[in-house]
Amino acid sequence: MLTKAPKGTRDILPGETSKWQYFERVVSKLAENYGFNELRVPIFEHTDLFARGVGESTDIVTKQMYTFEDKAARSITLRPEGTASTVRAFIEYKMFNQPQPVKMYYLGPMFRYENPQAGRYRQFHQFGVEYFGSIAPEADVETIQLCINIFKELGLKNLSLEINSVGCPNCRQKFQEELKKYLANNLDELCKDCRSRYETNPMRILDCKNKKCNDLLKDDMPLLLDNLCSECDEHFYNVKELLTYVGLDFEVNPKMVRGLDYYTKTAFEVIVDDIGAQSSIGGGGRYDGLVKECGGPETPAVGFAVGIERVLLALENQGVKIPEDNEADAYLVYGGSEAKKECFRMLDKIRSLGYLALMDFEDKSFRAQLKKADKLNAKYAVIIGEEELSEEHVLLRNMKDGNQEKIPMNSFLDKIQELIR
Ligand code: HAM
């Protein structure tokens, strides 16, 4: 127990963090290029926010939330996703009074009590964006573009973009009635959850993971797309036209409803080959009713979130090279206790110039120290032995080509700056 992290969680070890930091740098820069600014919200919120925001009959709310009472008997939940919290912050800080649109992004851990498998964890990490205040189809397409461009920038291949329209509450009402009629004769074959979904929120049956329920939804099932009101229909038409215009390939998946209840109009998902069953690396859509539902003024919004573990897994499985841990600029190598002191003094001086400098303190042989410099991919070894000390110079060895140069100690720091920029 004490020596194993809880099921569904994992440590991100020092050898891996450089990949995460690289991912974070790429996505933050791109999101900022699109006009998004970072928002940091709490890891936990009042349970009601997610129950109301994500939807009472979704799997996330009914089965997957980490909910507990705090010492003052408030019901608290570890955030299972970032949209509801972002909406709460948008309302709490009256961002609707700021010039619109308001565009925010976030990065961080999310928590869902799911059955862990490759690419599915109980604590996982998302990068997400939320775009408030525009109903224009361009906002949907800009959001989708950012999502796809993140994957392209990282070097991912074999991506597919699936889109659908889940309509507005009006068209959905019509669709849900049609769906109920369609399933009315097969109620007994639905799983227990879907029997209750049939009464409370029939559209969620489309999101059921149970094969038997899936098999009931044959090709002749009613589709949301055939039940859209004219406004939603036109919006979807415009989104598709714009996606084509900007050269983004997509496929319409008329059965996609996504696992959260807040979506209206556009819904989308990005699928990648090469990571097994959990192939959705990102998804999102429009949610024009959520800000009002959570107590704010009517505000259209659109966003998406990307699963960072899945993206890194796909990059690895596709053999895409991403930067490893930072390589040392200089490795200091000494022989004797006086030289060790001089190297130790220099270590800090080199670091304060902004370079990554390392040395070993265990009095190992020259050979062993140089071997270590090589192993760490250091650019230069800075060698000081008794001879160098008495002549007041250092031996600078280029670790790539093996060339060595004698540099007077008093001009050594200038030389390093000249060589490593
Ligand atoms: P979601 O589809 O639930 O959407 O999650 C987005 C992404 O998070 C998924 O595509 C997947 O890559 C990753 N993910 C989800 N669950 C897990 C898990 N258990 N383990 C590893 N990765 C996972 C949302 O969360 C919405 N908030 C997205 C959104 C933002 N819609 C509008 N704005």
Side-chain angles (χ1 to χ4, degrees), residues 87 130-135 264 285-289 291 299-303:
V87 166
E130 313 294 351
Y131 186 153
F132 295 94
S134 175
I135 187 64
T264 54
R286 186 166 271 291
Y287 48 96
D288 292 339
V291 176
T299 310
V302 57

Side-chain angles (χ1 to χ4, degrees), residues 331-350:
Y331 195 87
L332 290 96
V333 175
Y334 58 91
S337 58
E338 285 308 306
K340 183 178 183 182
K341 268 201 264 174
E342 185 54 33
C343 279
F344 190 65
R345 199 177 62 85
M346 222 172 240
L347 184 66
D348 200 48
K349 290 237 169 352
I350 300 174

Side-chain angles (χ1 to χ4, degrees), residues 60 80-83 106 112 114 119-122 124 126 129-130 258 260 262-263 269 280-285 287 302-307 309-310:
I60 294 181
E81 58 104 52
T83 310
Y106 50 85
R112 296 185 192 173
E114 294 197 75
R120 190 161 74 193
Y121 303 97
R122 291 183 173 171
F124 62 99
Q126 283 186 345
V129 313
E130 313 294 351
R258 310 237 334 107
L260 307 102
Y262 45 62
Y263 292 112
E269 223 153 85
S280 163
I281 49 171
Y287 48 96
V302 57
F304 70 82
V306 162
E309 283 85 354
R310 291 187 193 174

Side-chain angles (χ1 to χ4, degrees), residues 263-277:
Y263 292 112
T264 54
K265 298 193 170 79
T266 316
F268 69 94
E269 223 153 85
V270 182
I271 316 289
V272 71
D273 297 345
D274 315 303
I275 56 168

Side-chain angles (χ1 to χ4, degrees), residues 165-194:
S165 175
V166 294
C168 63
N170 287 340
C171 17
R172 206 134 63 205
Q173 175 90 27
K174 216 172 114 215
F175 164 72
Q176 308 235 61
E177 281 160 20
E178 298 258 330
L179 188 64
K180 280 176 89 165
K181 267 193 248 158
Y182 179 79
L183 291 170
N185 294 333
N186 297 310
L187 276 187
D188 295 343
E189 286 168 59
L190 287 173
C191 71
K192 192 168 146 267
D193 286 345
C194 280

